[in-house]
Amino acid sequence: MRISGIDFAIVVSYLVGVTLFGMHFRRRQTSLREYFLSSNAAPWWALAGSIVATETSTLTIISTPGIAWAGDLGFLQLVIGYLVARVVLCLLFIPQYFRGEFYTAYQLIGKRFGERVKTVAASVFLATRALAEGVRISAIGKVVSVAFGTGESVSVAIMTALTIFYTFEGGMRAVIWTDMVQMVLYIGGSAVAFFLLLHRIPGGWSHIAQVAAASGHKLRIFHFNFSLTQSYTFWSGVIGGTFLTMASHGTDQTMVQRLLAARNERDSKKALLASGVIIFVQFSLFLVIGVMLYVFARHTGLLATGGDTDRLFPEFIVSGLPRGVAGLVLASIFAVAMSNASGSLNSLASSSIVDFERLRGSTALDDVRLVRVSRWVTVGWGLVLGILGLVHWGVVLVAGLTIASITYGGLLGLFLLAIVSRRATPRGALSGLFTGLAVMVCVQFARPLAALFGIELHATIAWTWYVVLGTIVTFSTGWLVSQFAPGPSGPAEVR
């Protein structure tokens, strides 16, 4: 074990404490609205913290500093898009979600296009969220292997089991309030790492700025060149980031569930906008830490283990922080991992129960039994996520965002058809969704597909453009099919 006994005790105390805290909410779980939406009783500021904690993940904390260490601050261009998207969602999407008694995002699709389209959309979400969360869970294995010098499988199993336990017991109320605690912990831990780095680098911030300036680009934020193959430019960041966040926060049940849990539409909007401010601050913090690690490495010889920049920040935590402080920062990274997993488990369970009602075998089940079924569905999804967490995904931040980006465009295009197109039909909606997904799979696997025909591709479309492309293909295909091969109209317009 590479960390001290004090640090180990801090990490274990946190894991036990947050699990017991989550279990505290079990006694209120007597209805589906309580279990999945916390009875719409959570204050907006707690939901804002929960949104941030869910949007942030272990892979964000350990990968974002590595991006700045290897490059510059250009990732912030994507974060600007995150902010723009929140304004669009407040104007376009949130009002629609509060015009019905919805538990999931896909009930909106069902209202507009019928049960068949709703089921397909929910299925796409379940597959996407399971794979993306598997990447996030695997990220914690990297942290544990650096901290404890052990393999990753045991750590993934322990983290998954503890998260299943308190999510099983406490439902959405436990998720929201543990998210809030965990957000405070991981931002506080990262801030501690920032100030200790600042203290340990000779010359402080002036020396950091000097070395960064000498590198020629470390503190650069904006790249105004237009490129479809470069991930972090102003255009791919703002446009791609806007579409990515519109999809993740407007069509992904994990995020929409928090918006639906607000007391009213106004609180939902306040929570979403406030979360944007926090997101901008925290990404700035993570990226600056990456630049500071770059400077720190010039004095200490600290390098990314095996060339894996995801291990850079954990390596500094273990070898560069004092006893006690290292345990606090490690606990903060565990906190965000558990926060992500708990939110995903509850949203996967809610979609499985609500969007696939015919799978229950009976329509007369009372709320108490439905809550019991929901708990065991949560356990089932927990086992799936644990297995996926054992897969080695490469650079986890890019892997996680790429997986989501393949399907997010299809989902966003589908939701836009439902909300803004009066003439869209179920046939058009399904045609658009399937076409969008097929095109994005081809884009993602363009290199191996081209190689089958003896073609060598020197550049492919950057993942930051995936959602934009997928949305355009889905929406335009769905609109055209609805015009020229309309078929039966949907059950109701969403207005």
Side-chain angles (χ1 to χ4, degrees), residues 23-310:
M23 288 175 58
H24 168 72
F25 297 97
R26 176 185 173 92
R27 66 181 183 273
R28 299 185 180 183
Q29 311 307 314
T30 57
S31 70
L32 278 187
R33 182 158 295 276
E34 170 60 34
Y35 193 72
F36 289 138
L37 296 180
S38 186
S39 294
N40 300 99
W44 67 266
W45 51 267
L47 288 172
S50 183
I51 290 170
V52 172
T54 303
E55 188 170 1
T56 309
S57 64
T58 302
L59 56 90
T60 305
I61 294 177
I62 69 175
S63 276
T64 306
I67 290 173
W69 188 85
D72 56 24
L73 304 182
F75 192 88
L76 276 179
Q77 298 166 116
L78 196 66
V79 180
I80 294 173
Y82 295 174
L83 304 181
V84 174
R86 282 168 159 83
V87 176
V88 177
L89 290 171
C90 286
L91 296 174
L92 196 61
F93 277 61
I94 291 180
Q96 304 300 335
Y97 284 128
F98 280 86
R99 291 180 183 175
E101 294 293 322
F102 296 148
Y103 288 89
T104 77
Y106 314 108
Q107 288 179 286
L108 178 68
I109 296 298
K111 179 181 179 181
R112 177 66 176 83
F113 293 127
E115 289 296 313
R116 183 183 177 193
V117 183
K118 181 189 77 170
T119 300
V120 172
S123 298
V124 172
F125 158 71
L126 293 176
T128 302
R129 177 48 46 205
L131 290 171
E133 195 59 40
V135 176
R136 290 178 167 189
I137 290 176
S138 72
I140 196 64
K142 293 188 178 187
V143 178
V144 173
S145 65
V146 171
F148 301 108
T150 60
E152 300 177 4
S153 300
V154 174
S155 64
V156 168
I158 293 173
M159 294 294 296
T160 303
L162 291 175
T163 307
I164 289 173
F165 192 56
Y166 79 71
T167 309
F168 175 94
E169 295 286 354
M172 191 60 180
R173 192 179 295 270
V175 171
I176 291 171
W177 289 106
T178 53
D179 278 356
M180 190 66 195
V181 171
Q182 289 159 336
M183 184 202 72
V184 172
L185 183 59
Y186 79 73
I187 290 181
S190 300
V192 168
F194 169 86
F195 285 110
L196 284 172
L197 261 173
L198 191 64
H199 174 72
R200 295 193 58 181
I201 294 174
W205 182 254
S206 60
H207 180 64
I208 294 170
Q210 181 181 2
V211 174
S215 72
H217 65 274
K218 279 295 172 188
L219 296 179
R220 182 193 305 167
I221 297 176
F222 297 108
H223 302 263
F224 289 104
N225 57 304
F226 185 86
S227 172
L228 293 177
T229 60
Q230 187 175 343
S231 297
Y232 307 123
T233 69
F234 178 80
W235 307 108
S236 66
V238 174
I239 299 173
T242 297
F243 274 73
L244 175 62
T245 303
M246 283 178 63
S248 64
H249 290 53
T251 74
D252 189 315
Q253 171 64 5
T254 308
M255 287 295 184
V256 175
Q257 191 171 0
R258 283 151 178 76
L259 301 179
L260 292 172
R263 293 170 177 169
N264 50 51
E265 181 181 331
R266 182 182 179 185
D267 275 7
S268 185
K269 292 177 178 178
K270 287 167 65 175
L272 185 60
L273 293 174
S275 71
V277 177
I278 303 172
I279 282 292
F280 187 85
V281 172
Q282 76 167 26
F283 269 105
S284 300
L285 174 63
F286 296 152
L287 288 166
V288 170
I289 286 176
V291 174
M292 296 170 76
L293 287 171
Y294 172 83
V295 178
F296 183 70
R298 295 173 67 91
H299 295 281
T300 65
L302 176 69
L303 296 173
T305 305
D308 185 355
T309 56
D310 288 341

Side-chain angles (χ1 to χ4, degrees), residues 7 39 48 79 129 156 213 223 250-251 259 263 297 320 347 368 381 423 427 429 436 450 460 468 471:
D7 294 324
S39 294
V79 180
R129 177 48 46 205
V156 168
H223 302 263
T251 74
L259 301 179
R263 293 170 177 169
S347 64
V368 175
W381 277 114
R423 298 188 63 183
R427 178 182 295 174
T460 56
V468 180
T471 302

